[in-house]
Amino acid sequence: DTMMNSALTGVSSFGFGGTNGRCDIWGQAKFGPQKSGQVNLEDLDQITVTCPISMAQIDHVTGEPMVRSTPSGVREKVKADVLREEFAPYDISRFVYEGGFRYRKTALPEEVEVELGEGEGVFVCGSWSGWSAMEEMQRQDDGWYLTTMVLGEGRYELFDLCLNRDPAMKIYPAVHRAHRKIWVQGPDDQSGGKKWLVDGRDSEVKAGTVFHIHFRWTTERMEVYWEPVSQLSGGLAIKYEHNYSLIGDFSKWKCVPLARLGDHDGAWEGTFRIGASGRAEFQLLRDADQRQAIYPSQHRAKPSAAPARGPDDMGKGRHFFVSGRPGDDVQVHLTVVDAAITVVATSSCFHGEWRSQQGWARHQYCVVGTLSDAKPVPMMMDPSTEGRFTCQVSVGHRQMEDAAGGWGDFFQVAVDGDILQAFYPEAGPAEVAGQIIVRQPDGAGSANRFLLRVAEPSTAINICLDLNAEDRRKTVTWSLAALPQLMDVR
C-alpha cells in the first residue's frame, strides 16, 4: 500500500541490440481506505486549516485546536459551539487569540500537567554543544522544565527536545527555525529535522548572552520559549569548545578540520591544495554541521562583490571560489567574533577576503519572476521599520488569458537572489495579498508564485517583505503605489 490515492509506476527495458523501451503507468485507487474521487463531507469528523501564526491545525469554523480523540474513544462529528468577541477572527488558533468569548458550550479546558513516569525525563540537544550531548531539563515547582545555554560566537543556536534520550521520541516545532508561538509536536519520529532557533543576529543580542529555555507539557498542548537571563546563570550551561572545518571539491566534500589559533580570539586556520583544474570551491562548517555553514552571498562571485553569510542552513550551492596554479597550497584563515565573520584565502597567486554584514543587512532580498525582464528587483529596508523591506515594480508584462483577464506578472521573494531560498505562497498562484500563508525559505524552492493582476500594463505596485510579521499571511504583501497628485490647472 503506497498510502496514496494515486501513484506513478515505471519500468525500463534494455535490449541486447541497443533498443531501449520505457513504460510509465499512472493509476488511482478505486476502492479501499485510499479511494480517490470527490470527498463526501458527511464522512468527515472535522475539517481543519493551518493557523497562520502558530502553524497548528485548527477547526476551520471555530479556530479551536484540532480534536485528536474523544473521551469515549468513539468517532464523533465536531460541531461549532464557540462564539468569540464580535468581529474577532476565527482563522487563528485559540492559543494565539487574545480576546474573550461571548459563548462556549463548554468551559475552557483546564491545562493539567502531563506527569512523566519514574525514570523518564525531557532532554534538550542543541548546537551550543555541537549536538554532542542530550542535557536533561530540570523540572521546576510550577511544572515547567528548564535548561541553561550560552549564545555562541555566531549569535545563532538551534535545538530540539526528546523524551528519555530517544531519537524516536522527538519533541519539535511545526516548522523549521521556529519561534515561541509555533505549535509544538511530538513526541514521535516525524520531526523531519525541524528545530527551534535562538537568533540574536537581527536584534543585536551579543554572543555570550545566557538564556533559559523553558518547556511545559499539559493535556492541552506543549509550550517552548526562551529568555535572556543574568550572566550569573552561565555557570549552569554546558561548556563546549566549537570547531570549524573546510569542506570542498579538493576533499570530495568531506570535512577537513581547521586548527584553532590560540593567540587569537575566535580564529581558525587550515590549508588545502588546488587540483589539476587550477581552481577550487569550498565552504566552512561549524562543528561539521551543514545547518551551520559559512558561504558567500553569491556562488563563485569575486570577494569584493559577495559578502560572507552564515552560519546557517541557507548556503546550498553557494561556494567560495579560488584559483591558482595546480598544486598550489591555499591557506584559509577564519575569524568569527560576535557574529562578525571574516574569511581570507591566500595562495602564491591569489588573495580573497570575504566579510559578513551585521544585523538586518546580513542578507539581501529581491523580487524574482516575470517582472523587470526577469531580472531580480532589489528590496530596501524601510528606515522607519526594521525588518520591513520594500520595492516598487511595474506590472503588466503579459496579458492574462484566463477568465479574469487583465495584465499580470508572477513573483517570489528570494534571499540573496537564490530561488531555492525563496518566500512563496503555500498554494499558488496567490492573487490576493494577505490571504494565503507564506512559506519560508527551505532550500528546495517551489513552483508556487504570487500573482499581480492589473487592469492596465505598466501599473506601479509596491511589494513588501515583513520579516517581523507574526501572521505568515502578512509576510509578503503588495498594494497599488500612491498616485501622484494632479496639478490644478484652473
Side-chain angles (χ1 to χ4, degrees):
D1 187 355
T2 63
M3 302 300 293
M4 298 182 293
N5 62 14
S6 66
L8 185 67
T9 304
V11 61
S12 297
S13 178
F14 305 96
F16 286 106
T19 302
N20 299 331
R22 171 76 183 178
C23 180
D24 291 282
I25 302 173
W26 176 85
Q28 63 185 103
K30 293 293 188 181
F31 54 86
Q34 306 299 334
K35 180 180 178 179
S36 60
Q38 188 171 1
V39 176
N40 184 357
L41 298 182
E42 293 301 317
D43 292 338
L44 301 179
D45 298 333
Q46 185 180 28
I47 300 175
T48 63
V49 296
T50 302
C51 170
I53 298 177
S54 69
M55 301 302 286
Q57 293 300 300
I58 58 175
D59 187 86
H60 78 298
V61 174
T62 65
E64 292 292 291
M66 181 179 71
V67 174
R68 299 181 181 273
S69 62
T70 59
S72 63
V74 178
R75 286 180 56 182
E76 297 179 3
K77 189 175 292 293
V78 176
K79 298 180 180 180
D81 58 3
V82 169
L83 281 177
R84 294 180 178 179
E85 291 179 350
E86 192 173 9
F87 307 121
Y90 288 87
D91 53 4
I92 61 174
S93 168
R94 184 224 306 160
F95 292 122
V96 296
Y97 170 60
E98 297 178 349
F101 295 89
R102 290 179 288 164
Y103 171 77
R104 291 189 64 92
K105 184 177 180 180
T106 59
L108 283 171
E110 182 181 357
E111 297 193 37
V112 180
E113 180 186 356
V114 173
E115 295 187 9
L116 302 181
E118 186 176 352
E120 294 185 321
V122 179
F123 291 79
V124 60
C125 188
S127 57
W128 57 81
S129 67
W131 308 104
S132 65
M134 287 193 178
E135 308 166 60
E136 185 168 9
M137 302 185 75
Q138 302 302 311
R139 185 186 178 281
Q140 309 300 297
D141 292 339
D142 57 3
W144 285 85
Y145 291 80
L146 173 71
T147 196
T148 305
M149 74 90 173
V150 177
L151 192 65
E153 71 284 354
R155 299 181 181 174
Y156 168 100
E157 302 290 359
L158 297 162
F159 72 95
D160 60 14
L161 310 176
C162 70
L163 288 182
N164 309 325
R165 295 192 176 92
D166 185 354
M169 297 293 282
K170 291 277 190 182
I171 298 172
Y172 54 93
V175 295
H176 187 44
R177 298 191 290 267
H179 56 73
R180 65 169 297 173
K181 287 192 175 181
I182 296 299
W183 184 250
V184 183
Q185 298 178 328
D188 56 40
D189 60 353
Q190 304 298 310
S191 72
K194 294 189 282 288
K195 315 285 184 187
W196 285 280
L197 171 61
V198 182
D199 193 348
R201 295 170 297 181
D202 294 333
S203 52
E204 299 287 351
V205 177
K206 298 294 185 182
T209 300
V210 180
F211 281 84
H212 277 168
I213 297 175
H214 304 264
F215 168 74
R216 184 173 71 155
W217 189 357
T218 71
T219 50
E220 286 293 296
R221 57 176 167 167
M222 292 181 281
E223 297 174 83
V224 171
Y225 77 95
W226 50 91
E227 60 182 348
V229 294
S230 168
Q231 295 296 111
L232 298 176
S233 299
L236 301 173
I238 191 170
K239 304 297 188 296
Y240 185 81
E241 187 171 294
H242 295 282
N243 60 77
Y244 285 85
S245 304
L246 281 166
I247 183 171
D249 51 7
F250 50 84
S251 65
K252 298 182 179 179
W253 300 100
K254 295 181 180 179
C255 287
V256 178
L258 298 179
R260 179 186 293 271
L261 299 181
D263 54 343
H264 293 82
D265 185 32
W268 290 263
E269 198 169 65
T271 303
F272 66 86
R273 182 162 294 174
I274 296 178
S277 66
R279 55 184 182 268
E281 298 178 16
F282 70 95
Q283 290 184 342
L284 297 125
L285 303 183
R286 185 191 191 217
D287 298 325
D289 184 1
Q290 293 278 4
R291 293 163 297 192
Q292 301 181 79
I294 296 173
Y295 54 92
S297 62
Q298 304 294 326
H299 182 52
R300 290 184 174 181
K302 294 181 179 179
S304 58
R309 302 294 198 225
D312 57 37
D313 57 358
M314 302 176 69
K316 183 179 179 180
R318 284 184 274 175
H319 307 141
F320 298 107
F321 178 79
V322 299
S323 59
R325 292 189 295 266
D328 268 6
D329 286 334
V330 178
Q331 186 176 57
V332 178
H333 183 92
L334 169 67
T335 304
V336 184
V337 178
D338 204 13
I341 298 170
T342 303
V343 178
V344 179
T346 306
S347 71
S348 61
C349 57
F350 178 89
H351 178 83
E353 184 172 321
W354 300 264
R355 293 181 178 272
S356 66
Q357 294 171 307
Q358 297 288 80
W360 293 105
R362 62 187 178 83
H363 284 298
Q364 294 176 336
Y365 303 93
C366 62
V367 170
V368 294
T370 61
L371 298 152
S372 187
D373 297 325
K375 297 178 181 177
V377 181
M379 306 185 81
M380 304 298 293
M381 191 168 78
D382 185 339
S384 65
T385 309
E386 289 188 336
R388 187 175 186 269
F389 296 80
T390 62
C391 70
Q392 188 172 110
V393 296
S394 176
V395 178
H397 291 76
R398 61 176 62 193
Q399 192 165 10
M400 305 302 292
E401 298 178 355
D402 56 10
W407 299 78
D409 279 295
F410 298 90
F411 77 96
Q412 296 177 337
V413 177
V415 181
D416 293 325
D418 185 353
I419 59 173
L420 296 179
Q421 302 290 353
F423 294 86
Y424 59 90
E426 189 172 55
E431 188 172 349
V432 182
Q435 295 297 310
I436 293 182
I437 290 174
V438 178
R439 291 291 178 175
Q440 309 289 309
D442 53 20
S446 172
N448 295 341
R449 296 180 295 176
F450 303 100
L451 169 60
L452 302 174
R453 189 192 298 268
V454 294
E456 299 291 339
S458 301
T459 299
I461 296 288
N462 290 330
I463 299 176
C464 173
L465 169 68
D466 187 352
L467 298 179
N468 288 321
E470 287 190 338
D471 186 334
R472 295 193 175 214
R473 296 170 300 186
K474 313 298 184 185
T475 302
V476 176
T477 55
W478 57 90
S479 60
L480 280 170
L483 297 174
Q485 292 185 349
L486 296 179
M487 182 180 296
D488 190 348
V489 295
R490 289 181 298 175

